Amino acid sequence: MLSKRELLDLQFIDARARLIDLAAFLDRVERHGDEADIRLNYFKEALPILQENRPDRAKAVLEKFSDFTPELTDTAPFQGATGAPIA
Amino acid sequence: MRYIEPHAHMVSRTTDDYEKLALAGCEVLCEPAFWAGFDRSSADGFYDYFRQLTEYEPRRAARFGIKHFCWLCINPKEADDPGFAREVMALIPEFIDKETVLGIGEIGLNKNTRSELAIFEEHVQLALDHDLPILIHTPHLEDKLKGTRLILDSLASFSKLDRSKVIIDHVEEHTVGLVLDAGFWAGMTLYPESKCTPNRAIDILEVYGSERLWMNSACDWGISDPLSVPKCALEMRRRKHTPEQIEKIVFDNPYKFLSQSPRFRI
Ligand SMILES: [Zn+2]
């Protein structure tokens, strides 16, 4: 396994670029009007998870975007998925 | 580096991709039956698809020294109409004893509907009747956690099921623990946007260990990368995983799971 320093040497610049990309994504979306969209609400609710002091942030973000209803549905409303439990 | 690609949809890929796979060290490739990017209009469409999987693709792969195996079923994306799904399932016995058919898959859920689950359970019974391994697809994005739980609940009702012969694929950080804790194998799919990245898959290996896990590209008709397994192996090297650790995840583990099928001889 790599030391923390080695891991940062290997991946810090890439992670930094991804974080800036996320910031730019939010700027971009909001520049395109103030129409509400529930997907964006989920997205913003997930952001504070990154600041939490826990070992499983990726799992928590995935759970934030997950459908927690327990029941089977009668038929598929559509075939694909949107990335957030909007139905 | 030799490796096994345990999940790829080559019917959607070019012959050049077989060449690239061979150059990267792929010796064995397994192709589960799945959606082809569009809904087929009749069961006859599946008859031809099963012929393609059992006759044509093994020949195409063999030109590059790659041994091609397949899994058969009607996939969950086209299983929401149970009448249609059963018509397709009725074709399976004609193909199930062919020499490169490993088992039943990839079955599972897509939008977590009642009909999808009914057809899933009929496939599990079919695999049990033939004593064959099972490869399970879990839903995408927001539907994955719920679908994985429904699948695990359903499998728990099959008392005769040998869990070491079942792999639940496309796990991510929120589902891998559920699958491994229940005693099943878990597949990590390296697929842009909707599944694991190489680094996240390696994180899972570091956190959960490498027992009962494999990695695959699931390359298909979408934007996907047939070389994602060797690329992940390279990333493992950069993260100082040993050659033995890499060999275990890209060759030994899939070999161990797949060898439970009587047809898997390499
Ligand atoms: Zn697949």
Side-chain angles (χ1 to χ4, degrees), chain A residues 1-2 6 10-11 62 65-69 71-76 78-84, chain B residues 35 39 77 80 110-114 117 141-142 145-146 149-150 172-174 199 206 238-240:
Chain A
M1 284 243 286
L2 295 171
E6 288 171 323
L10 194 62
Q11 299 190 346
L62 282 160
F65 291 117
S66 292
D67 174 8
F68 272 86
T69 62
E71 319 79 34
L72 287 160
T73 49
D74 285 328
T75 50
F78 57 97
Q79 211 175 27
T82 60
Chain B
W35 198 50
D39 290 344
K77 266 189 192 252
D80 195 35
N110 177 50
K111 293 304 290 179
N112 300 324
T113 72
R114 252 174 257 290
L117 188 68
L141 304 176
E142 71 270 22
L145 179 62
K146 174 174 174 173
R149 288 178 168 166
L150 288 166
E172 292 179 68
E173 290 88 340
H174 58 330
N199 268 306
E206 289 179 355
R238 296 174 83 201
R239 287 174 61 170
K240 289 198 177 162

Side-chain angles (χ1 to χ4, degrees), chain B residues 10-235:
Chain B
M10 298 309 288
V11 299
S12 304
R13 311 295 312 190
T14 63
T15 302
D16 297 39
D17 284 343
Y18 274 116
E19 185 183 34
K20 288 179 197 149
L21 286 160
L23 285 168
C26 178
E27 293 186 359
V28 180
L29 183 147
C30 308
E31 178 154 2
F34 200 57
W35 198 50
F38 66 100
D39 290 344
R40 280 154 280 215
S41 60
S42 69
D44 289 344
F46 281 87
Y47 186 86
D48 287 339
Y49 178 53
F50 293 161
R51 282 186 51 227
Q52 194 177 6
L53 289 177
T54 56
E55 296 169 22
Y56 178 67
E57 291 302 332
R59 283 205 300 274
R60 206 156 69 113
R63 288 174 56 198
F64 299 92
I66 297 174
K67 188 96 176 90
H68 182 285
F69 294 94
C70 70
W71 302 75
L72 298 179
C73 73
I74 176 164
N75 67 85
K77 266 189 192 252
E78 288 169 284
D80 195 35
D81 173 351
F84 181 73
R86 289 184 186 116
E87 233 183 288
V88 175
M89 287 183 74
L91 300 173
I92 294 175
E94 183 178 336
F95 292 90
I96 204 159
D97 292 323
K98 300 227 178 219
E99 63 179 24
T100 56
V101 175
L102 297 172
I104 298 298
E106 54 187 301
I107 56 173
L109 298 175
N110 177 50
K111 293 304 290 179
N112 300 324
T113 72
R114 252 174 257 290
S115 298
E116 287 169 12
L117 188 68
I119 296 301
F120 169 76
E121 291 178 341
E122 288 174 31
H123 277 103
V124 173
Q125 191 54 53
L126 180 66
L128 284 173
D129 294 344
H130 290 264
D131 193 25
L132 290 172
I134 300 173
L135 192 159
I136 297 175
H137 164 95
T138 50
H140 302 290
L141 304 176
E142 71 270 22
D143 301 313
K144 183 180 297 293
L145 179 62
K146 174 174 174 173
T148 303
R149 288 178 168 166
L150 288 166
I151 285 165
L152 290 171
D153 287 348
S154 164
L155 292 173
S157 66
F158 288 87
S159 58
K160 292 208 171 73
L161 191 71
D162 176 356
R163 294 186 177 207
S164 66
K165 289 174 80 169
V166 179
I167 185 151
I168 299 183
D169 217 331
H170 317 320
V171 298
E172 292 179 68
E173 290 88 340
H174 58 330
T175 56
V176 62
L178 300 173
V179 170
L180 292 175
D181 288 349
F184 297 101
W185 279 70
M188 298 183 291
T189 298
L190 307 161
Y191 198 95
E193 293 189 353
S194 65
K195 300 183 181 79
C196 277
T197 60
N199 268 306
R200 287 172 50 210
I202 300 167
D203 293 337
I204 289 173
L205 291 174
E206 289 179 355
V207 172
Y208 290 88
S210 58
E211 289 310 312
R212 285 185 284 119
L213 275 162
W214 80 22
M215 296 193 308
N216 58 67
S217 73
C219 60
D220 58 7
W221 48 270
I223 295 170
S224 48
D225 182 1
L227 295 182
S228 63
V229 170
K231 285 179 183 172
C232 188
L234 174 62
E235 198 58 42

